[in-house]
Amino acid sequence: MKLRVGVVGIGDAWESRHRPALRALSDRFEVRAVTSEVSARSERAAREFNAVATDGFRTLVTRPDIDAVLALAPEWYGSLPIFAACDAGKAVFSAAELAADPSQARAIRDRVVASGIAFMAEFPRRQAPATLRLKELIATKLGKPRLLFCHMRTLFDPPSGRLKHRAVANSSTRHLMELVDWCRYVVGSDPSSVQGVRHQSNVDASEDDYQMLSLDFSGPGELATGPLAHVSCGRYMPQGWSEAIAFRPPAALQVCCENGIAFVDMPSQLVWFDKAGQHMESLESERPIGEQMFMTFHRAVTSLVRRSSDLEDAYRALAVVLAGQQSARENRRLPIEL
């Protein structure tokens, strides 16, 4: 079955991930309409897929020739396309972050559940070949995770206005959500408590150049007996420092397990050690992440089993991030209530 889709928003990952995946999966997806903040980009993408450039997301979502909506960028309208898709009964693939306000995030989750649509949140690290292989090794050779170190370093670009400030804040939350979800997926459970740390930027006092969350996956009433994950996101290197940015980047994920240790670099590099020594695996021959995610979304829409678990995962990751930010403000470890 070929899904007729409408693209809402053309973001940073369009050229590297979304566009090539839609091209490669042309036997499963047919792009019928495109809309974004920049009309020129909408028209260019529409021409490439022989689609129509619409003047707004509501016009796109309500088209009768659209089966599903691909919300691929967190533009000014935020979660409104998701609500519109719920009203129209259209499935949603969302690369945009949930609302930063917990009550609004709950409203999105409740609306999606009530509408009965298929929903998939974009968590590319879950679908990365290296992550899938790591899960296999944990189950067969490495044993249960004990310590996880997960770091992301992004470029620093001084804010130039209120909209820029909001975009940076939302981007930081989104990055932390993805890293938290990655750790949750690798461990296979939810953290019970979080300790947050932040470092204020010396350029803009309203921004952070570093955030860290310490996630304790111990059981209720316990502390530091289960897996412990340190998740961090830094924006401390200016864009002009190209040599410094490329110098010794840390592994995206380091996992210390019962029987060994693994180092993961997105999307397909995995190095792991056990008593037998070092093992290097390159998984370049696997399908790219974009194709993996869109194939999963296609199965979710065309199957008889409704899929909305990713929305619950996104909501839980957001709750952990917000609890960590509150912890940093109050300077104390907080329990996580999901």
Side-chain angles (χ1 to χ4, degrees):
M1 177 181 175
K2 183 178 286 192
L3 284 180
R4 302 169 299 176
V5 298
V7 174
V8 178
I10 298 177
D12 297 336
W14 172 254
E15 293 294 336
S16 62
R17 183 188 303 158
H18 300 134
R19 173 180 167 272
L22 289 171
R23 279 294 190 190
L25 299 175
S26 58
D27 60 327
R28 306 188 190 201
F29 295 94
E30 180 181 358
V31 179
R32 288 293 186 92
V34 181
T35 187
S36 72
E37 286 182 333
V38 182
S39 59
R41 298 189 71 182
S42 300
E43 293 168 359
R44 184 165 58 249
R47 284 196 301 270
E48 184 175 359
F49 285 93
N50 195 27
V52 175
T54 66
D55 58 0
F57 68 87
R58 295 190 188 279
T59 301
L60 181 147
V61 169
T62 55
R63 287 174 62 98
D65 61 343
I66 296 294
D67 301 315
V69 176
L70 308 180
L72 302 183
E75 299 187 337
W76 67 267
Y77 31 71
S79 56
L80 292 178
I82 297 177
F83 288 122
C86 289
D87 293 338
K90 307 292 178 67
V92 175
F93 177 93
S94 177
E97 68 270 7
L98 284 177
D101 177 73
S103 61
Q104 189 175 356
R106 281 194 296 270
I108 296 172
R109 181 186 62 176
D110 294 343
R111 178 74 73 87
V112 169
V113 172
S115 68
I117 66 169
F119 181 96
M120 179 174 171
E122 183 183 54
F123 284 126
R125 288 170 177 78
R126 280 184 173 226
Q127 300 289 339
T131 302
L132 301 179
R133 175 57 178 153
L134 173 63
K135 291 286 284 185
E136 292 178 357
L137 290 171
I138 288 173
T140 57
K141 297 179 180 295
L142 293 176
K144 295 180 180 179
R146 297 178 57 250
L147 295 170
L148 297 88
F149 302 93
C150 186
H151 181 69
M152 180 176 186
R153 191 167 65 194
T154 62
L155 300 179
F156 170 70
D157 187 16
S160 58
R162 188 174 180 181
L163 292 178
K164 178 71 174 179
H165 165 71
R166 186 182 305 120
V168 169
N170 289 345
S171 177
S172 298
T173 299
R174 173 68 184 185
H175 292 325
L176 286 171
M177 281 180 60
E178 291 184 5
L179 299 182
V180 167
D181 178 78
W182 199 12
C183 291
R184 289 179 60 248
Y185 180 70
V186 171
V187 174
S189 63
D190 285 307
S192 57
S193 66
V194 60
Q195 172 78 57
V197 175
R198 59 179 290 267
H199 187 270
Q200 182 177 294
S201 170
N202 61 359
V203 177
D204 185 351
S206 64
E207 297 294 342
D208 296 333
D209 57 18
Y210 180 80
Q211 295 185 62
M212 190 275 287
L213 304 178
S214 174
L215 310 177
D216 189 351
F217 288 84
S218 301
E222 301 175 350
L223 184 63
T225 58
L228 188 68
H230 290 286
V231 175
S232 60
C233 181
R235 296 180 59 252
Y236 43 79
M237 289 197 180
Q239 285 188 327
W241 295 11
S242 57
E243 293 184 0
I245 294 169
F247 183 70
R248 291 185 183 175
L253 179 65
Q254 176 182 340
V255 185
C256 179
C257 301
E258 293 174 329
N259 305 317
I261 189 169
F263 299 84
V264 176
D265 282 309
M266 291 282 287
S268 55
Q269 298 297 320
L270 175 65
V271 180
W272 57 283
F273 299 80
D274 61 3
K275 291 181 179 179
Q278 176 179 313
H279 311 268
M280 298 184 64
E281 299 189 26
S282 179
L283 306 164
E284 299 289 349
S285 61
E286 300 292 331
R287 277 187 177 270
I289 296 175
E291 293 181 31
Q292 295 271 18
M293 291 189 296
F294 280 152
M295 288 171 59
T296 302
F297 179 64
H298 185 276
R299 289 194 295 269
V301 177
T302 57
S303 71
L304 297 178
V305 180
R306 180 170 63 91
R307 177 194 176 104
S308 60
S309 59
D310 279 351
L311 181 61
E312 183 66 27
D313 289 329
Y315 175 79
R316 288 172 177 262
L318 175 61
V320 172
V321 172
L322 295 179
Q325 293 171 346
Q326 179 184 349
S327 166
R329 292 191 298 269
E330 299 178 2
N331 193 28
R332 65 188 181 97
R333 177 171 287 275
L334 293 178
I336 298 174
E337 299 179 0
L338 299 174

